[in-house]
Amino acid sequence: MVLTSEGWPDVQETFFSADAFKTSFPEILKGFWLDVKLFVGVEIVVLILGLLIAVIRTSKVPALFPIRVLAAIYCDFFRGVPVILLVYLIGFGIPALELSGMPDDPVILAAIALSLAYSSYVAEVYRAGIASIHPSQSDAGLATGLTRIQTLRFVVIPQAIRRVRPPLLNDFISLQKDVALVSVLGIAEAFRIAQIETLSTFNYTPLLAAALLYLAVTIPMARILDHITAREQINA
Amino acid sequence: MTGPSISDAVIEIQGVTKAFGDRQVLGGIDLTLREHEAIALIGASGSGKSTLLRCIDLLVEIDDGDILLDGEVITDPSVDPVAVRRRLGFVFQAFNLFPHMSVIDNVTLGAVRAHGESRKEANERARQLLERFGLGGRENDKPDQLSGGQQQRVALTRALAGRPRALLLDEVTSALDPELVGDVLDAVRDLKQEGMTMLIATHEMSFAREVADEVAFLHEGRIIEQGSPERILAEPERPETRRFLRRLLAAGRI
Ligand SMILES: Nc1ncnc2c1ncn2[C@@H]1O[C@H](COP(=O)(O)OP(=O)(O)OP(=O)(O)O)[C@@H](O)[C@H]1O
Ligand SMILES: [Mg+2]
């Protein structure tokens, strides 16, 4: 279609059709609401799970050694597999197993796949942050009478998070885009709806509409990130 | 190794050894710190002063021997190290303040979280202590807004907030510019007059002379000479002590 079309009027009609935009936009926006819900839900899980994994991986308690190994394998595995493959594997694989008690709602399965992938990235970000806090801070926390867990909670983790806010936000932005990958499970989110519209009308404007919606959230995030990074450079 | 404890002894160190890998850092330390007493621990860099203090606060595990606090062996594996640290105060050479917290939060963190004081009572006491050490009005500043001497006084206040049985001071003035040493020295002298029990690792001989009741000279992980400041600083018996003091004198630190 693109290859056969010649001249600007055609291009304009296929990519920037005001009519196609108007008819498809409400549906795409509805689908985008699912993207937003998925993204927010997954992000919350990822921030908590990632921190938990990072804390386990940086702990030095001998008794936690087996869990530490498991956490390392978890990170290596989920970081090493393409997200789209994980979405497929979990989205189609788990229902195929027909295990009782397993969720079969594709939205939940998609959320699980994204959470697994992104918690492993975010765990590594947190881990770098925790490792960057000098051990003398832990010493000071312990000497003040705090337990090891309190020292982590009040002394190490707040400083670590402050230090890794830019890379955390970066992963945040990636996740906002990667929620579109769940469309492979047939979930009616913005990209999927736009795709269907495109296929039925041979007009690409709906895809552009979807792209605008993603940009509407990722660009503000990027500006916030710039702002924080700039402020940190001033402080440093 | 546990001998009979001296009744007014607060900290007793008995035959303590510590090695890092194959490097023997403490080679059998015996030392008793009595109530209201201040002992200055002097010795060359690397002689093991910090390690000894860290062993007492259970930040480093000892290999052999015993450390007692108020007659109780604290280096036994069955003892909860957190409970022990709550009875001791530690001040670090590099202050180690919590940079993300205000001055007052630095001081009250332990009181509230470790000692279960209410926020209100912890704040009140912290204000009093800060006032006393010349830090009134700086409560809401961040540590990096303070001078080194002020930061170290905050660290001292933080250590005192837990009402410690004894204070362990690790070269609390050696990261300071010379003109700032005096403030911290005054604060420690004050505490001594109040009867605080202290073990003070130091390169600052004025500490040893003006604050300490006893001076212990640490050489390669052993206390090879101990006595009154007057005697140790004026007429040391051991050649190693003499050599150490001569070097300090040459560096203009006495
Ligand atoms: N965690 C550690 N791991 C390995 N070696 C260590 C460790 N802590 C201390 N050491 C070594 O132990 C020796 C004694 O160090 P320590 O810090 O106790 O000396 P110090 O008397 O406090 O010296 P300074 O006056 O420089 O502070 C040094 O050789 C040091 O390198
Ligand atoms: Mg030292």
Side-chain angles (χ1 to χ4, degrees), chain B residues 161-177:
Chain B
R163 298 186 166 80
R165 186 75 176 102
L167 267 187
L168 308 170
L169 307 184
D170 191 5
E171 296 197 34
V172 292
T173 57
S174 57
L176 301 177
D177 293 336

Side-chain angles (χ1 to χ4, degrees), chain B residues 44-46 48-51 53-54 93 170-171 174 201 203:
Chain B
S45 183
K49 302 180 296 292
S50 299
T51 304
L53 295 183
R54 293 167 60 79
Q93 175 171 357
D170 191 5
E171 296 197 34
S174 57
H203 280 301

Side-chain angles (χ1 to χ4, degrees), chain A residues 55-194:
Chain A
V55 166
I56 290 170
R57 289 201 69 182
T58 50
S59 72
K60 295 186 181 72
V61 188
L64 286 180
F65 178 74
I67 310 178
R68 253 197 316 274
V69 171
L70 283 181
I73 294 172
Y74 179 100
C75 287
D76 284 350
F77 183 82
F78 291 113
R79 259 191 327 157
V81 178
V83 183
I84 189 154
L85 204 94
L86 262 185
V87 173
Y88 260 104
L89 264 178
I90 289 173
F92 294 121
I94 296 221
L97 293 174
E98 291 183 7
L99 298 170
S100 60
M102 280 294 190
D104 55 3
D105 179 350
V107 175
I108 302 286
L109 292 170
I112 292 173
L114 289 174
S115 300
L116 289 171
Y118 272 85
S119 61
S120 68
Y121 310 156
V122 165
E124 291 301 285
V125 170
Y126 278 131
R127 191 162 75 109
I130 292 172
S132 77
I133 304 302
H134 197 269
S136 62
Q137 284 289 307
S138 291
D139 285 344
L142 294 174
T144 304
L146 304 181
T147 63
R148 285 199 178 275
I149 291 174
Q150 287 178 320
T151 301
L152 268 175
R153 176 166 160 217
F154 298 113
V155 177
V156 178
I157 290 173
Q159 293 184 62
I161 288 180
R162 225 164 270 222
R163 224 169 265 191
V164 298
R165 262 183 317 195
L168 269 185
L169 269 173
N170 239 333
D171 279 347
F172 217 53
I173 293 171
S174 297
L175 175 61
Q176 282 178 341
K177 293 178 298 175
D178 274 356
V179 286
L181 291 175
V182 309
S183 62
V184 300
L185 300 183
I187 296 170
E189 54 74 59
F191 170 61
R192 176 76 181 158
I193 293 171

